Amino acid sequence: MTDAIKIDVWSDIACPWCYIGKRNLESGLSAASEDEDAPTVEVTFHSFELSPDTPVDFEGDELDFLATHKGMERAQVRQMLDNVTGVARGAGLEYRFDLLKHTNTVKAHELLHYAKAHGRQAELAERLMSAYFTEGRHLGREDELVSLAEEAGLDVDDAREALRSERYLDAVRADQAQAQAYGINGVPFFVIDGKYGVSGAQPADAFAQIVRQVWAEHREAAPAEV
């Protein structure tokens, strides 16, 4: 039996390119899944905070945040947001930067580790990113996070306790330390089988091509069946 390809994804739920990269990865894997010898793939999400110093309740919208915290000209920010909105639309995502509530994401990352421990990480990652970029939900607030956890099939009371106890904060920090060890300084970043690194929101075709290539390597390395 051929071992599954392991794809480790470093991302932040507040990173617009991360959601696009996630969707493109899914589209690429879907295309490869139609092959006669379809790859088996396991995807795991890891924590990366783009702006760990962000307050939970940031006063202003995304344009304000980038202009004041990143020192960018407002016209440049507007153009950048328009561009990423167009790219997102091409991936089937309708970004609403006019609704977006910029916030600190460490609690969302803790919740993703909780979801991973309960077999619902993929579902929660999708729910958090959709809520943040398309629905204007405030992901820095506990009540909002546990509500989304429930929508992803998790227990509300247990999820709330996990956040309050910071049970998974060490796991978040371990992910960040691993990213630093790998030399990751921007996301999304995809590590395939612990040896191939793919940076940025690559097109779906690129993801399909690389998993096919790596799957062929797996097949060559697999012991012959008796």
Side-chain angles (χ1 to χ4, degrees), residues 14-106:
C15 163
W17 292 105
C18 291
Y19 197 12
I20 294 168
K22 176 179 179 296
R23 187 61 85 245
N24 287 349
L25 172 65
E26 292 164 348
S27 297
L29 295 181
S30 177
S33 72
E34 297 177 4
D35 295 353
E36 183 176 348
D37 181 20
T40 302
V41 181
E42 296 175 1
V43 179
T44 302
F45 292 94
H46 298 275
S47 304
F48 191 102
E49 290 179 88
L50 282 174
S51 301
D53 59 341
T54 303
V56 171
D57 294 301
F58 175 76
E59 295 295 332
D61 58 17
E62 186 72 352
L63 193 151
D64 294 324
F65 176 80
L66 292 172
T68 60
H69 278 59
K70 303 298 183 182
M72 300 171 65
E73 295 290 336
R74 294 180 72 84
Q76 181 186 4
V77 173
R78 195 178 302 280
Q79 183 179 19
M80 186 179 70
L81 294 181
D82 288 345
N83 175 61
V84 74
T85 298
V87 176
R89 188 172 294 116
L93 303 170
E94 291 296 329
Y95 280 5
R96 292 293 305 273
F97 286 109
D98 58 320
L99 300 178
L100 189 148
K101 294 177 176 58
H102 201 85
T103 187
N104 189 287
T105 61
V106 68

Side-chain angles (χ1 to χ4, degrees), residues 163-197:
L163 290 177
R164 290 183 175 178
S165 67
E166 298 186 339
R167 196 193 314 167
Y168 293 94
L169 182 58
D170 285 347
V172 173
R173 300 306 182 215
D175 274 356
Q176 293 168 332
Q178 183 63 68
Q180 187 173 24
Y182 277 146
I184 299 171
N185 52 28
V187 287
F189 196 93
F190 306 82
V191 176
I192 301 170
D193 277 351
K195 57 183 180 179
Y196 300 116

